[in-house]
Amino acid sequence: MNKQVKVLIIEDDPYICELIILYAEKSGYKVDIANDGMTGLEMFYDSPPDLVILDIMMPEMDGWEVCKEIRRFDKTPIIMLTGKGQSYDKLKGFKLGTDDYLVKPFDPNELMARIKAVLRRANPMFDANEIIELPLLKIDFQQYKVTYEKQEIVLPPKEMELLYFLASYPNQVFTRQQLLEKIWGVDFEGDSRTVDVHIKRIREKLGNSNAYWRVKTIRGVGYKFEVDNH
């Protein structure tokens, strides 16, 4: 991703906070800490994170209330971190909108894996960092740069994400609905013509008639990034 992922930890146990900070920063995340629910909510609104790790049993305001407040206005991914392992608590968390649930004591490596999985579900492009190079074309997603025939082409974020995603899966067909979910998210309320408009703009900027690759329309289905392997 072209920006550092920010994680907000709302947890009153200093040892657990230190442990998560150690592993999260090692994984490349920026970390903010709040030791009670009220402070956590204030930090959430003052400087919105990409993901929240939320304890249940805390002073001032418990994790259930914090989760409920966040979900009133926002869909930022939340991982519940708690000593309660009963199925009732898990169900309650998921009903409130928690994305994942981890019971203490936990393996910090497992938490890092779950963070990555939850972030990827929320935004499939979050950890995209590969440079894709083809004849005439170079896509550097981390820098949000596209070079076509040695000229830098400016693409708005969604066009960039759509091109990078398609080029990451050469010769694989995606329906318009799949592309909407992957690039705009499962909660996007627009229609499939959004994809068509963005494909048209990409083609206008990069052309679509060279001998090496093209964004191809699969009639009645969707699109694929077709690459000539010969």
Side-chain angles (χ1 to χ4, degrees):
M1 195 84 175
N2 64 323
K3 73 180 185 69
Q4 190 177 27
V5 171
K6 182 161 67 175
V7 175
L8 172 61
I9 303 169
I10 308 177
E11 163 67 68
D12 64 338
D13 185 323
Y15 170 74
I16 290 177
C17 288
E18 287 178 18
L19 185 65
I20 298 173
I21 289 171
L22 178 67
Y23 279 79
E25 290 185 343
K26 194 175 173 182
S27 297
Y29 304 130
K30 183 180 183 299
V31 182
D32 289 331
I33 297 286
N35 296 125
D36 64 77
M38 289 293 290
T39 304
L41 263 185
E42 289 171 8
M43 291 177 68
F44 179 88
Y45 291 121
D46 287 345
S47 181
D50 298 290
L51 179 138
V52 177
I53 297 173
L54 179 60
D55 185 32
I56 290 181
M57 305 304 291
M58 288 185 297
E60 302 292 332
M61 177 186 281
D62 68 23
W64 302 129
E65 288 301 313
V66 174
C67 183
K68 199 182 295 182
E69 283 300 308
I70 290 174
R71 281 293 174 263
R72 284 176 63 196
F73 307 107
D74 197 277
K75 294 175 181 175
T76 298
I78 298 172
I79 296 177
M80 281 283 200
L81 196 62
T82 177
K84 295 193 171 190
Q86 293 89 344
S87 59
Y88 167 79
D89 293 306
K90 292 184 181 182
L91 288 172
K92 183 176 179 180
F94 287 129
K95 282 179 180 176
L96 287 174
T98 301
D99 295 87
D100 205 348
Y101 197 109
L102 197 58
V103 179
K104 302 173 187 174
F106 61 89
D107 178 347
N109 287 309
E110 181 183 356
L111 176 59
M112 294 305 109
R114 289 183 182 231
I115 288 173
K116 192 169 185 178
V118 167
L119 286 168
R120 192 181 288 115
R121 283 203 302 271
N123 177 10
M125 308 303 290
F126 100 93
D127 60 350
N129 54 20
E130 181 185 352
I131 295 175
I132 297 174
E133 290 196 67
L134 295 162
L136 310 179
L137 181 68
K138 179 180 178 181
I139 308 169
D140 184 341
F141 191 82
Q142 204 162 29
Q143 300 296 321
Y144 262 61
K145 286 183 181 177
V146 174
T147 306
Y148 177 62
E149 293 186 329
K150 299 183 180 179
Q151 297 292 317
E152 189 172 320
I153 306 296
V154 177
L155 295 182
K158 289 303 179 192
E159 289 177 29
M160 178 72 185
E161 290 169 22
L162 182 56
L163 175 64
Y164 182 91
F165 180 78
L166 286 169
S168 296
Y169 298 92
N171 299 316
Q172 184 171 332
V173 178
F174 291 93
T175 67
R176 289 170 174 82
Q177 188 58 40
Q178 285 175 321
L179 293 172
L180 280 176
E181 291 177 2
K182 294 292 186 185
I183 308 303
W184 283 267
V186 293
D187 298 315
F188 179 71
E189 295 180 354
D191 61 40
S192 61
R193 284 175 296 182
T194 300
V195 176
D196 300 335
V197 170
H198 282 72
I199 291 289
K200 183 183 176 192
R201 289 174 182 162
I202 290 170
R203 285 171 171 167
E204 286 171 352
K205 292 168 184 173
L206 300 183
N208 202 46
S209 59
N210 66 72
Y212 308 105
W213 51 264
R214 65 207 57 80
V215 180
K216 186 171 182 179
T217 302
I218 308 301
R219 223 170 266 285
V221 181
Y223 297 96
K224 72 173 178 177
F225 190 87
E226 189 172 74
V227 175
D228 187 346
N229 294 315
H230 301 294

